[in-house]
C-alpha cells in the first residue's frame, strides 16, 4: 500500500481542513505554536475564502483558516 505525503495539497486539506479531523488539527497546532492550553478555548475552521474590497481584487483561497 502506498502512503500519500501530508505535504500534498489534497492530503493536507483532508487532514487539517476538514471538521471531521479537528482533533488532528488541534494536536498539530498545539505542537507547533507556543501557546498554553489555557490561552484558547477551542479550535474552529473558518471559510478559507478571503473577502475582497474591490471588484477587480484577486480572489484568495487558503488551504486552512482557523480561529
Amino acid at each position: 500500500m502506498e502512503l500519500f505525503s501530508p505535504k500534498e495539497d489534497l492530503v493536507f486539506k483532508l487532514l487539517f481542513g476538514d471538521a471531521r479531523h479537528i482533533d488532528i488539527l488541534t494536536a498539530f497546532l498545539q505542537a507547533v505554536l507556543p501557546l498554553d492550553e489555557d490561552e484558547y478555548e477551542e479550535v474552529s475552521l473558518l471559510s478559507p475564502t478571503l473577502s475582497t474590497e474591490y471588484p477587480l481584487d484577486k480572489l484568495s483561497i487558503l488551504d486552512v483558516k482557523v480561529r
Side-chain angles (χ1 to χ4, degrees), residues 12-29:
F12 184 91
K13 287 178 186 178
L14 287 173
L15 284 174
F16 301 113
D18 189 318
R20 295 175 296 177
H21 304 197
I22 199 76
D23 55 331
I24 296 173
L25 175 60
T26 301
F28 173 75
L29 293 173

Side-chain angles (χ1 to χ4, degrees), residues 17-57:
D18 189 318
R20 295 175 296 177
H21 304 197
I22 199 76
D23 55 331
I24 296 173
L25 175 60
T26 301
F28 173 75
L29 293 173
Q30 289 172 339
V32 298
L33 296 176
L35 296 174
D36 292 329
E37 286 189 36
D38 60 343
E39 291 187 64
Y40 61 91
E41 291 181 24
E42 68 177 329
V43 174
S44 59
L45 292 168
L46 303 172
S47 171
T49 304
L50 300 178
S51 59
T52 58
E53 286 188 44
Y54 304 101
L56 297 178
D57 283 350

Side-chain angles (χ1 to χ4, degrees), residues 9-10 12-13 16-18 45-46 48 61-65:
D9 192 52
L10 177 62
F12 184 91
K13 287 178 186 178
F16 301 113
D18 189 318
L45 292 168
L46 303 172
I61 301 174
L62 305 172
D63 284 339
V64 177
K65 186 176 180 183

